[in-house]
Amino acid sequence: VADGRIRLCGTDEVDQGGMLRVEPPGMDPVLLCRTADGFHAVDDECTHAIASLSEGRLEGTTVFCPLHGGSFDICTGKARSLPCKQALRTWAVAVDGDGVWLLAKKKRA
Ligand code: FES
């Protein structure tokens, strides 16, 4: 990506309180969440086993895995409840015009 960012979706494609799984080219699937304070992106795949968090549910800033019910903080990526222990990677996103963009750098390791 020439300018180091990838368009994930339009701002109107995710409602507040909603989530969207996006598969950016060359990257693992990303879970884009929209909360009261804006958009957050983390890995979509649960770190416990193989499950798409997009099929779980979002409550505030906590996403619950559909498979075993573990949870993560979507702002920090940290596991919030067992059986999840390992954090999700978090990704920086920005709104520009009518789009939500992933800045192709990890916020933190
Ligand atoms: Fe997500 Fe087990 S796969 S909690």
Side-chain angles (χ1 to χ4, degrees), residues 46 48-51 53 65 67-70 83-84:
C46 186
H48 176 239
I50 298 180
L53 295 172
C65 178
L67 198 52
H68 308 111
C84 304

Side-chain angles (χ1 to χ4, degrees), residues 21-78:
R21 174 185 163 104
V22 186
E23 298 181 21
M27 285 184 62
D28 292 330
V30 165
L31 180 71
L32 182 67
C33 305
R34 186 173 193 172
T35 66
D37 68 348
F39 290 93
H40 302 273
V42 291
D43 288 331
D44 182 53
E45 189 167 296
C46 186
T47 58
H48 176 239
I50 298 180
S52 169
L53 295 172
S54 67
E55 292 166 14
R57 73 177 199 284
L58 182 64
E59 279 182 17
T61 57
T62 302
V63 64
F64 291 86
C65 178
L67 198 52
H68 308 111
S71 65
F72 299 91
D73 182 317
I74 56 157
C75 301
T76 64
K78 287 193 179 140

